[in-house]
Amino acid sequence: MADRVAIERIAEHVGQEVTIKGWLYAKTGKGKLQFLQVRDGTGILQCVVFRKEVPLEVFEAARDVSQESSLIVTGTVRADDRAPGVPGGFELGIADLQVVQLVTEEYPIAPKEHGVDFLMQNRHLWLRSSRQWATLRVRATIIKAVRDWLDDNGFILMDTPILTPAACEGTTTLFETDYHGTPAYLSQSGQLYNEATIMAFGRVYCFGPTFRAEKSKTRRHIQEFWMVEPEMAYVDLWGNMEVQEQFVSYIVQTVLRDRRPELDLLGRDVSRLEGIAPPFPRIHYDEAVAMLNKAAEAGERVPPTDELVPALEWGEDFGAPHETYVAAQFDRPVFVHHYPTQAKAFYMAQDPERPEVCRSADLLAPEGYGEIIGGGERSSDLAYLERQIERHDLPREAYEWYLDLRRFGSVPHSGFGLGIERAVMWICGLQHIRETIPFPRLLGRMYP
Ligand code: 4AD
Ligand code: MG
């Protein structure tokens, strides 16, 4: 018999006496009746204590316990539709209560509105708040779904290095460090290494932290983020998109199945997620440009920000309002493919009929979330890649091994990268990426 019951499984214990080990989240009450909201990491449970039902010292301990004090409560579980909590609908009638540590100072995050800077400064405590808790539980489920789907669909996990000698996604966002006297860079992506491992394993993925020295503050960029990157031999751009729509749909449906109370707590409109299923719409970059310029001419606005749709000159990469507008035209994520070669990374395969566009595809999430995946088919043309390395001003020596992959058994291959924090933001319906990871690394902030 376990020494405690987890609140998330409280429904299995109606009518039984159980023990909960946790913290005091909030308290209300008057006189002889006290309502304690107790959280234990798995949920929040309303615990009720009546003066006349318990020894005086138990009642006084319950009456005097302060916010975020750690405590152990024992009592009988009752079903009660009106009881708040996560999951709601259950209540514990307290028989005994033991305070483990009584908080005597004022808890910094009192139940009132706080500014974002204050909350970020107290991130180590903010994590205990219900919205943060719900978000990070969804994050863990997204990551589990990512791994389960890939492991069950023939992908082999390959851990790629974090200290690297060269850039994958352009030289402007590199974090440089010292590798015993030689410069090294924190990985922006494991992709190039997995272009090597697929030639040994067929289908692989890496999943780990990636780093980008993003110099501007936006609500969608962080300096350190987690990315899952599947890579596949003998798969072209179209096959790549088919894998992505299966993968993303599985992730969304898993969260809907396993994290419903958390989504409800966050106030997420789940009807916007329920229909996420293959196939996802696909539009060519040319079409997207035409769509955007038509909207710009007509003076249309971008929901939900309401700014005017900005025109886009052919050849330019999308800005956030372009992504938002295009994605808003569909009820599920949309692929934009064949971006201009000049707007994308050096390794992208060119369209053989139109070399000015490449076999890339970004997946844009609806409701203003924009790009959640970047990917495409990689060039297998040795001479072209040699020219691209030069054109992008990359140090040739650092890429010799990469070029070998085109000399020894080169095959058409594709892959993509899903940013976990972008996925969390979209699925949870959050306004800012800083809440999607326990301790975000933001421009100008590295504490705590
Ligand atoms: O489009 P990106 O730069 O693509 C790559 O890194 C490829 N090497 C992936 C691949 O094909 N294997 O980044 C992929 C995704 C983006 O769509 C976004 O979700 C996320 O990574 N991402 C960021 N997330 C948060 N903060 C940032 N600064 C991000 N930069 C990229
Ligand atoms: Mg991208």
Side-chain angles (χ1 to χ4, degrees):
M1 171 84 180
D3 67 343
R4 82 199 77 170
V5 158
I7 293 173
E8 66 183 337
R9 308 196 62 165
I10 204 73
E12 298 163 27
H13 299 274
V14 173
Q16 299 171 12
E17 182 168 276
V18 302
T19 294
I20 307 281
K21 298 187 172 184
W23 297 262
L24 182 72
Y25 189 54
K27 190 176 63 174
T28 52
K30 38 187 179 295
K32 299 182 168 71
L33 184 58
Q34 298 286 330
F35 293 97
L36 278 56
Q37 308 302 324
V38 173
R39 51 171 200 85
D40 74 341
T42 75
I44 304 174
L45 180 66
Q46 171 157 287
C47 303
V48 190
V49 60
F50 267 118
R51 166 65 195 94
K52 60 180 191 301
E53 283 177 2
V54 294
L56 183 61
E57 65 271 19
V58 171
F59 181 78
E60 285 178 341
R63 185 193 59 201
D64 299 340
V65 67
S66 48
Q67 187 188 356
E68 286 307 323
S69 291
S70 39
L71 46 71
I72 299 173
V73 286
T74 299
T76 305
V77 181
R78 299 187 284 255
D80 180 343
D81 285 345
R82 297 157 308 169
V86 191
F90 302 94
E91 199 175 73
L92 187 95
I94 293 181
D96 193 21
L97 181 149
Q98 182 196 332
V99 175
V100 178
Q101 188 243 329
L102 184 69
V103 173
T104 54
E105 294 173 53
E106 195 190 341
Y107 185 65
I109 307 183
K112 61 165 192 180
E113 288 286 306
H114 294 283
V116 168
D117 264 352
F118 177 84
L119 290 169
M120 288 309 306
Q121 191 71 6
N122 288 283
R123 182 67 178 163
H124 53 298
L125 302 176
W126 190 24
L127 292 171
R128 305 178 188 192
S129 300
S130 61
R131 288 184 60 88
Q132 305 309 311
W133 170 84
T135 301
L136 294 173
R137 302 240 310 166
V138 171
R139 176 188 169 101
T141 297
I142 289 173
I143 292 172
K144 177 168 161 46
V146 157
R147 290 192 181 283
D148 285 348
W149 194 89
L150 292 167
D151 291 344
D152 293 346
N153 283 278
F155 290 80
I156 301 289
L157 174 68
M158 284 290 137
D159 299 312
T160 51
I162 288 177
L163 291 169
T164 64
C168 178
E169 296 299 326
T171 50
T172 57
T173 60
L174 285 172
F175 272 112
E176 188 175 326
T177 173
D178 170 58
Y179 195 74
H180 306 290
T182 346
Y185 309 98
L186 299 183
S187 177
Q188 297 168 310
S189 160
Q191 176 195 321
L192 303 185
Y193 292 99
N194 275 342
E195 290 187 57
T197 64
I198 51 163
M199 306 302 176
F201 299 91
R203 289 184 177 217
V204 306
Y205 70 98
C206 59
F207 178 47
T210 42
F211 305 86
R212 308 263 170 111
E214 306 280 359
K215 273 120 193 151
S216 60
K217 281 188 190 172
T218 81
R219 58 186 195 91
R220 299 194 304 171
H221 290 87
I222 37 179
Q223 310 287 309
E224 178 181 307
F225 63 98
W226 287 68
M227 180 158 58
V228 57
E229 297 183 87
E231 191 73 25
M232 300 163 282
Y234 291 108
V235 169
D236 64 10
L237 172 65
W238 305 100
N240 195 24
M241 289 191 272
E242 279 168 30
V243 169
Q244 291 173 49
E245 64 195 5
Q246 298 289 338
F247 179 59
V248 169
S249 301
Y250 176 81
I251 295 168
V252 171
Q253 295 307 325
T254 301
V255 173
L256 284 172
R257 188 191 66 203
D258 296 346
R259 288 288 175 245
R260 202 51 177 260
E262 287 81 355
L263 294 174
D264 290 344
L265 188 154
L266 292 166
R268 183 66 169 114
D269 177 2
V270 292
S271 71
R272 301 298 305 263
L273 299 174
E274 278 161 346
I276 305 294
F280 293 172
R282 293 149 165 71
I283 63 170
H284 194 286
Y285 173 84
D286 290 350
E287 279 176 80
V289 172
M291 178 190 283
L292 283 161
N293 287 336
K294 196 171 151 221
E297 250 166 62
E300 281 193 52
R301 288 172 187 276
V302 186
T305 56
D306 228 33
E307 62 190 305
L308 286 166
V309 176
L312 187 73
E313 199 171 320
W314 197 100
E316 287 177 330
D317 203 355
F318 282 15
H322 300 118
E323 287 182 5
T324 301
Y325 180 81
V326 170
Q329 310 311 306
F330 305 93
D331 63 351
R332 51 190 90 187
V334 53
F335 290 108
V336 178
H337 54 81
H338 289 97
Y339 282 86
T341 308
Q342 66 189 55
K344 288 290 176 189
F346 78 95
Y347 52 70
M348 293 284 187
Q350 286 174 294
D351 180 333
E353 262 98 64
R354 282 181 65 192
E356 75 279 14
V357 294
C358 63
R359 291 190 159 174
S360 62
D362 282 358
L363 184 64
L364 312 182
E367 300 174 80
Y369 291 100
E371 182 189 335
I372 54 171
I373 287 181
E377 190 174 327
R378 327 307 189 183
S379 176
S380 19
D381 181 336
L382 175 61
Y384 175 69
L385 283 171
E386 287 175 327
R387 288 198 304 279
Q388 282 288 86
I389 286 170
E390 213 178 291
R391 202 172 288 152
H392 287 252
D393 220 8
L394 299 169
R396 169 74 187 248
E397 333 73 75
Y399 296 85
E400 274 308 328
W401 68 270
Y402 184 72
L403 296 171
D404 263 356
L405 307 173
R406 275 71 182 172
R407 295 188 182 104
F408 304 109
S410 185
V411 298
H413 64 285
S414 302
F416 63 94
L418 168 71
I420 293 295
E421 291 75 17
R422 296 272 180 94
V424 175
M425 228 181 131
W426 165 49
I427 293 172
C428 290
L430 306 178
Q431 291 312 306
H432 201 290
I433 199 164
R434 63 184 160 235
E435 295 180 36
T436 62
I437 182 167
F439 295 97
R441 302 293 86 156
L442 300 165
L443 190 63
R445 171 178 291 285
M446 223 176 39
Y447 178 92

